[in-house]
Amino acid sequence: MMEKSTVHNAVDGLQQRITEYAVGLAYDTLSADAAHAAKVRVIDTLAALAGGFDGEPCLIARRMAARLPDTDGVTITGTTIKTTPDMAAFVNGTTARYVELNDVYHWPGSAGGHPSDVVMPLLGVAEHARVSGRELIAAVVLAYEIYLRLSDVIGKRPFDCANYACLAVAVASAKLLGLSREQIAAAVSMAVVPNTILRQVRTGHLSMWKAVTAGHAGKAGVFAAMLAREGMNAPYLPFEGKSGWCDHIAGKRFSLDVLGGKGTPFKILDTLIKLRSSCATTISSILAAEKVAPALKSRIGDVERVTVEVYETAKLGMATGEHHWNPDCRETADHSIPYVVAAALMDGTVTPRQFDDAHLKSPDLRALLARIEVVTNDEFTKAYERSPVEHQTRVIVLMRGGERLVGESGGDKGDLSQPKSDAQITEKFLGVTEEFLGPSRALAALDRLFRLEELDSAERIPSDFVRK
C-alpha cells in the first residue's frame, strides 16, 4: 500500500525568514494603527469590488466559477454562489481590481504595486477556515508586509508586482489555515517557483488581463497553501537554488532584514487610498484638472491647448505612447493622462462612468484629447523621488482669445499621499456600495467592518455583501 506523501523540502534562508515571520505574527503583536489600517483596507477593497462588479472580465470570471460549484466552499462576493477557495480568489480578486479604486503603493526606489490584491483571496480563505476577524486582520497585515518589503528590496523589474501578491497570499493563507512551519515553507515554494507574471500585462494597449492578473495571483497563492495542507512535496531552495527565483527572476540575491513589529512600523501604513477611479499615476492630473473644470462649463469648444506638467514617472508610464491618445478600452484609458484630463475637464471629475463606451467613443472627448500635451517638470520629479512622496501636477488650459486657466495638485494642494480619515473612507464606501447593497445594508455592513476585530467568524462578511 502506497504511503501518504508528507511535506518535506530543503528550505533556503529567505524561505525560512518568511516562514518564521509568519509563524510569529499574531493580532496581539500588531500595533493599533496597523490593525486599524488593515480594517480600512478590507473596507476599501470591498468598495472597489462593488464598483467593478459588472465589468466584463468580472462577468467572465463569475461564469467560469459558477461551473465549479462547491457548497462547502467560498462565496463569490456579491452573490450567494460558492466555489472552491482558489476559484473564489480568482473571481473576487479580479472584481476588486477591475475598477481601479483599490489602494496603491508608491515609495522611492520600490517596484510599487497594488498590495490590496491580497485582500479578497484572504477574505475567502478566512471564510473557508472559519477564523475570527482578528485572525483575518493579522493575515492582511502579514500579506502586506511580505508584499511591500519585497517591492522595496527588489525595485523595478520586468515582472509584474502581482508576483508579490501571489507569494503574500500563499503565506497568509497558510497562516489562516493553521499550517505547520514545514507546510508554510512548502506553500512559499509552491507560490514562487511555478508562478511568474510578466509586466507585459501593463504595457502598451492593455487588455482585460490587467485586472485578471490580480485574480490569477490570488488563485495561485491560495492553491499553493491548499497543496501544502494536503501534503504536496514542494521544490527545494526556491529562492537561492541554482535555478531559483533570486538569480533568474529578481535578478539578485537579497534578504528581508527588516520586517514590521517589535517597534518597526508595519508597511501597510505606507499604502495610499485612492479617491478616484483611475491608475494612481494619473490621479494628480485628475485633481489638477478638476480645479480648472468649473471655469470651462459650456466652453470646452473654446479650448485651444492643454499642457499637463507632471513628474517623470507619470510622463513615461502614462503619456508616451500612441495608445495614451487613442485608448480603445477602459484598461488603457485609465492608464492615460491625456484621457483622464480630457474627461475631468469635460465632466468635472473622473468616476467609473467616465470609462464607459459613450465616453471612449465621444467625438468631443477625442477632439479635446488631440489638444493635450504632457511634459515633464523637473521640480515635480524631485518631489516624487523623495520621501514622503508628493504627486505634483499642473494643468494649464489656454483658451481661444488668450485666457489662461491653471489648476495644481500635490503636497498641500491635495495629494494622493495624504492620509485618509475614517470619514473619507466612509464617504467613499457608501458612495460606491449604496447602489450595490441599498443604503441601510451598506451602512450596516460598514459598521460591522469597522468592528471587524469583534467578529467570531469572518463568514459573516460575504453574507452582508450580497448584491440587492
Side-chain angles (χ1 to χ4, degrees), residues 48-82:
L49 181 142
F53 194 76
D54 291 324
E56 189 175 359
C58 313
L59 295 171
I60 292 171
R62 284 202 298 279
R63 286 202 303 268
M64 290 185 64
R67 299 189 187 111
L68 296 169
D70 182 353
T71 55
D72 295 322
V74 170
T75 304
I76 299 172
T77 307
T79 78
T80 58
I81 300 169
K82 289 180 179 286

Side-chain angles (χ1 to χ4, degrees), residues 344-363:
L345 291 176
M346 291 181 66
D347 293 353
T349 190
V350 171
T351 73
R353 287 185 291 274
Q354 274 63 49
F355 301 103
D356 61 21
D357 285 345
H359 283 81
L360 285 168
K361 297 175 182 177
S362 167

Side-chain angles (χ1 to χ4, degrees), residues 87-362:
M87 193 64 189
F90 177 73
V91 179
N92 295 335
T94 295
T95 307
R97 186 70 184 83
Y98 175 72
V99 81
E100 279 285 353
L101 265 176
N102 55 327
D103 78 356
V104 69
Y105 181 63
H106 284 174
W107 196 262
S110 81
H114 294 275
S116 48
D117 287 348
V118 308
V119 171
M120 294 310 303
L122 294 180
L123 180 56
V125 174
E127 177 191 357
H128 174 66
R130 296 178 171 85
V131 301
S132 69
R134 289 189 171 205
E135 290 171 280
L136 173 59
I137 288 170
V140 170
V141 174
L142 168 62
Y144 267 70
E145 193 70 14
I146 298 301
Y147 184 120
L148 296 172
R149 296 294 180 181
L150 287 171
S151 180
D152 282 352
V153 75
I154 295 173
K156 299 290 185 183
R157 293 291 296 163
F159 63 84
D160 193 74
C161 288
N163 291 285
Y164 304 144
C166 177
L167 172 56
V169 167
V171 174
S173 294
K175 176 80 171 181
L176 287 170
L177 293 172
L179 303 191
S180 67
R181 278 179 170 81
E182 191 175 40
Q183 289 171 316
I184 293 173
V188 168
S189 177
M190 289 185 285
V192 168
V193 174
N195 300 292
T196 299
I197 302 166
L198 300 180
R199 193 167 175 78
Q200 187 62 24
V201 298
R202 300 182 211 286
T203 302
H205 280 278
L206 304 184
S207 71
M208 293 179 192
W209 198 261
K210 186 194 77 175
V212 175
T213 300
H216 179 84
K219 179 178 183 289
V222 171
F223 190 61
M226 293 170 65
L227 286 173
R229 181 176 62 178
E230 296 302 315
M232 181 64 72
N233 188 267
Y236 300 165
L237 306 176
F239 291 102
E240 298 162 12
K242 180 179 179 181
S243 297
W245 198 83
C246 286
D247 289 345
H248 295 276
I249 304 300
K252 62 181 178 182
R253 297 292 176 104
F254 63 93
S255 58
L256 293 176
D257 298 325
V258 178
L259 290 167
K262 298 180 179 178
T264 299
F266 290 94
K267 288 298 288 185
I268 194 170
L269 299 168
D270 294 324
T271 65
L272 311 176
I273 301 290
K274 295 182 188 177
L275 298 180
R276 299 293 184 274
S277 176
S278 191
C279 173
T281 318
T282 71
I283 287 179
S284 61
S285 297
I286 295 171
L287 297 178
E290 286 176 354
K291 295 180 179 180
V292 178
L296 292 177
K297 288 183 178 179
S298 304
R299 301 173 63 199
I300 286 293
D302 294 331
V303 172
E304 182 173 304
R305 185 172 69 254
V306 179
T307 301
V308 186
E309 298 179 11
V310 296
Y311 48 95
E312 185 179 26
T313 296
K315 164 70 175 174
L316 293 176
M318 308 294 153
T320 53
E322 168 272 334
H323 54 286
H324 293 128
W325 275 264
N326 188 34
D328 54 4
C329 63
R330 190 227 148 83
E331 288 82 1
T332 300
D334 66 27
H335 277 54
S336 162
I337 288 174
Y339 182 91
V340 299
V341 167
L345 291 176
M346 291 181 66
D347 293 353
T349 190
V350 171
T351 73
R353 287 185 291 274
Q354 274 63 49
F355 301 103
D356 61 21
D357 285 345
H359 283 81
L360 285 168
K361 297 175 182 177
S362 167

